[in-house]
Structures are given as C-alpha cells and as structure tokens.
Amino acid sequence: MNTLKRLDTMLALVILALTFSFSAQAQEDCLYGFKIYVRDGTGKRIENAKLEASSLAEKDKLPDDVKPRLSYSGAYVMAGDEGTTVKGNFLLRVSAEGFETYERQFNFPVCEFQIFELKLRPKDSATKASFERLVNLHGKVFDEEMKPFANAKVQATFTDGRSYQTISNAYGYYEFDVPEGVANIRVTESRIPDIVFDNFKIEDINSVLNVPVCLKCKQKEPKN
C-alpha cells in the first residue's frame, strides 16, 4: 500500500514538473502589449501624432523597449516578448495638432497582444473621441493551381459605412486589422472577376478567410 502511495506521489510530481515546464515555455514565447491606430473621424490616419506613456506610481516603470514607436503599418506599438508583462498602472496620452488631447489609464495584458483604433476629437467639435478594439483578419489568396495570387485588393465594408482594405503580397498572404462584426468582403484584381463574401462574421481575435480565385474565368461583359 505504501509503495503504491509513493508511486502516486512520484507520478504527481512528474506531471507537475512537466506542466510547469510547458507553462514556462509558453511564457517565454508569448507576446504582450498594444498596437494603436490613431485616426480622425473619417478613418484617415493622423500624421505626426504623439503618444506618451507614463507610470501612475513611483514603483511602476515602463521599459525603454516597450515605449510607443511607429510601425511600418502606420500604427503605434507598445509591446514586449520577454514572457512576463510589465506590471503597474500607466497613463496613455495622445496628442496631435488640431485635435483634443486624449488620455486613458491602462495596464498591460498578460501574454496578449491587443489592437485598438483611436479616433481623436477635432478641437471645437461636439463629437467624442472613440477607443475601439480591433481584431486581425488574414488569409491567403491563391489560384486554381494553388499558386499564390499577389496584388489582390481585399476590402471589408461594414454596415455603418466604415471600410478597411489591404493588398495580398507576393506570397498571396494578406492581413489587416478591422472591428468585430459583420462585413462584406470584396476581393478585386484586374485579371479576375470580383469575389464577394456577403455578411462575413468577424468575431474572433484572429479571423481567417482564404480566397481561391479563378484566372481562367472570364470577366462579365458590361451591359449596354
């Protein structure tokens, strides 16, 4: 009986050790932080916006490599990948010429990379600034032979009129950040008929839509 008890204890310790090992590996590989698009009320990017993040307590410190920086996509990024998030309470301050300064308190998420769209309020305007979380929509565009299809425009249009678009790269891949909800997805390129996905639901943090195209299909003849 004691032998069985010792075996059970040893097995539990082994499982615990393996669980800790897998958890530690996941922590090491995780990415945390924010990506923030700063735009006006029409959705146009605001040039030369200034993002500042400061701590709300002396004990909290923002590492230099996690401070806001402008990415190639035109969004501002505050992110790290060391496996542990920055602890503490911080204040985000966003300013731009011609717009009211926006402030928001925030904490860093644990092993999560969050995307937001900030629409600033123009000075002397009655409209309000908005801070909305976005999700990533991505996929691959390919032809009948499963070859990558480059330079296809992928556009997502929502019921409120907002529209977002991107272009597939040389490998056929595309990705862009859009709101959650229902959108019409239109894929266009001069060599193919338009492809439309009506009422496509975007409700996951990472939504996937792969798009097969037909190079051999003829464009519809315009009606006289």
Side-chain angles (χ1 to χ4, degrees):
M1 187 73 177
N2 289 335
T3 301
L4 290 174
K5 188 175 181 179
R6 285 198 298 272
L7 286 173
D8 287 343
T9 302
M10 290 176 64
L11 181 60
L13 289 172
V14 169
I15 293 173
L16 181 62
L18 288 172
T19 302
F20 177 79
S21 176
F22 291 144
S23 176
Q25 182 64 38
Q27 286 283 323
E28 289 176 2
D29 293 341
C30 80
L31 174 70
Y32 67 91
F34 305 96
K35 179 162 66 169
I36 303 171
Y37 294 91
V38 182
R39 294 170 173 154
D40 63 16
T42 67
K44 183 180 178 181
R45 177 189 165 197
I46 296 176
E47 302 286 347
N48 302 318
K50 184 179 181 181
L51 275 74
E52 300 170 282
S54 57
S55 60
L56 293 177
E58 291 185 5
K59 63 181 178 63
D60 303 330
K61 184 179 179 182
L62 190 66
D64 290 336
D65 63 342
V66 184
K67 290 181 179 178
R69 60 187 185 275
L70 186 63
S71 71
Y72 73 93
S73 66
Y76 293 86
V77 175
M78 288 187 291
D81 58 0
E82 297 176 355
T84 57
T85 61
V86 178
K87 295 182 180 179
N89 299 311
F90 299 90
L91 181 70
L92 174 66
R93 189 172 188 269
V94 184
S95 57
E97 185 176 354
F99 294 88
E100 296 289 346
T101 298
Y102 178 86
E103 291 186 343
R104 185 183 189 90
Q105 184 176 330
F106 72 95
N107 306 99
F108 281 96
V110 177
C111 277
E112 187 180 358
F113 188 67
Q114 298 179 357
I115 309 166
F116 292 93
E117 179 182 60
L118 169 60
K119 289 187 176 179
L120 293 180
R121 178 168 74 92
K123 287 185 176 179
D124 303 322
S125 170
T127 61
K128 293 183 178 180
S130 65
F131 193 76
E132 181 181 8
R133 188 166 182 182
L134 304 181
V135 297
N136 187 266
L137 175 63
H138 61 275
K140 184 175 183 179
V141 186
F142 53 91
D143 65 17
E144 301 96 327
E145 298 178 356
M146 301 300 290
K147 292 181 180 179
F149 190 83
N151 299 318
K153 183 173 81 170
V154 184
Q155 184 171 19
T157 303
F158 292 80
T159 53
D160 60 5
R162 287 184 294 176
S163 182
Y164 300 78
Q165 65 182 45
T166 188
I167 295 176
S168 62
N169 64 18
Y171 304 99
Y173 292 106
Y174 73 91
E175 64 97 17
F176 55 149
D177 302 313
V178 298
E180 285 188 325
V182 177
N184 288 340
I185 311 295
R186 181 178 293 272
V187 181
T188 58
E189 209 274 351
S190 59
R191 294 170 290 171
I192 60 170
D194 290 2
I195 300 170
V196 179
F197 298 87
D198 289 320
N199 300 319
F200 182 79
K201 291 183 179 180
I202 304 170
E203 53 190 0
D204 193 3
I205 293 176
N206 290 298
S207 294
V208 180
L209 176 61
N210 293 318
V211 183
V213 301
C214 181
L215 280 171
K216 297 177 181 178
C217 299
K218 294 182 178 180
Q219 293 277 10
K220 290 183 179 179
E221 293 293 335
K223 293 182 179 179
N224 295 326

